[in-house]
């Protein structure tokens, strides 16, 4: 059963901007080989538009640097890569993966991301109390060293209505985050398909 928490919040990035974002300069000591990434066909199917995948890029986009759910754990960009996905409409997605020095560090990063995602509505509410957010915990997935899936719905006092699905997973010393979003509510979220996407993302890491 999904666990819900209620808090006022402003989603950290507009869903229509999920596929945008400025590329940061690659970190000087970034690992030379990126982990495996999702392909466009791995994303939850869209009813009226196909997915387009960008290239795998070193670092993190500006949108992640500013994101209230992810920035504290992913903002540094060291040994990190990302890939943007877009449709022709309002739906976008992103995968960000980071390689840690060892398994212990990866466990810690996974736990930090899991905690930050679960607690981000309260931080967003503090930034903008005119936006309400509902966080749903969709549970864990039995893939490699594990994954956790969440849903975040935000609605502003002026009518903006957005749904976001977020997951964090780990395989060995690599941690990945998958971020999907569009306009709408929980009933518009393809949770089952997103869980399959998350499982694929973790399995593709190595």
């Amino acid at each position: 059963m999904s666990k819900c928490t209620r808090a006022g919040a402003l989603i950290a990035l507009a869903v229509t901007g999920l596929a945008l974002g400025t590329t940061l300069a690659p970190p000087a000591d970034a690992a030379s080989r990126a982990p495996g990434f999702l392909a466009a066909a791995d994303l939850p199917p869209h009813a009226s538009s196909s997915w387009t995948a960008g290239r795998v890029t070193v670092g993190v986009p500006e949108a992640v640097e500013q994101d209230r759910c992810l920035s504290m754990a992913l903002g540094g960009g060291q040994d990190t890569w990302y890939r943007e996905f877009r449709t022709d409409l309002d739906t976008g997605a992103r995968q960000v993966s980071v390689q840690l020095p060892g398994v212990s560090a990866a466990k810690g990063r996974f736990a930090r991301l899991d905690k930050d995602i679960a607690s981000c509505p309260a931080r967003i509410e503090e930034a903008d109390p005119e936006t309400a957010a509902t966080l749903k915990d969709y549970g864990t997935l039995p893939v490699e060293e594990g994954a956790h899936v969440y849903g975040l719905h935000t609605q502003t006092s002026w009518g903006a209505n957005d749904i976001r699905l977020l997951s964090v997973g780990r395989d060995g010393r690599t941690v990945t985050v998958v971020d999907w979003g569009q306009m709408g509510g929980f009933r518009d979220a393809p949770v089952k398909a997103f869980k399959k996407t998350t499982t694929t993302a973790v399995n593709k890491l190595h």
Side-chain angles (χ1 to χ4, degrees), residues 35-51:
F37 271 77
L38 291 167
D42 299 321
L43 273 291
H46 192 283
S48 58
S49 178
S50 59
W51 285 97

Side-chain angles (χ1 to χ4, degrees), residues 112-198:
R112 176 62 186 273
L113 281 160
D114 196 44
K115 180 180 178 181
D116 287 354
I117 292 170
S119 61
C120 74
R123 293 192 301 277
I124 301 169
E125 177 182 36
E126 184 178 0
D128 191 337
E130 293 190 23
T131 302
T134 303
L135 182 73
K136 284 191 176 183
D137 184 340
Y138 288 119
T140 59
L141 299 174
V143 54
E144 298 299 342
E145 277 73 58
H148 202 161
V149 179
Y150 294 92
L152 177 65
H153 173 246
T154 57
Q155 188 166 13
T156 69
S157 60
W158 54 90
N161 188 40
D162 298 300
I163 181 65
R164 189 176 179 189
L165 295 175
L166 291 150
S167 63
V168 55
R170 182 175 72 86
D171 183 3
R173 66 186 186 94
T174 305
V175 177
T176 193
V177 172
V178 183
D179 187 353
W180 172 100
Q182 69 174 30
M183 292 189 292
F186 284 115
R187 68 171 181 249
D188 305 304
V191 177
K192 183 177 180 180
F194 185 76
K195 286 183 175 182
K196 182 178 179 180
T197 295
T198 296

Side-chain angles (χ1 to χ4, degrees), residues 23-27 30 57-61 74 76-82 96-97:
T23 303
L24 301 180
T57 304
V58 176
V60 295
L74 291 177
Q78 183 172 346
D79 291 343
T80 305
W81 297 261
Y82 71 93
V96 183
S97 297

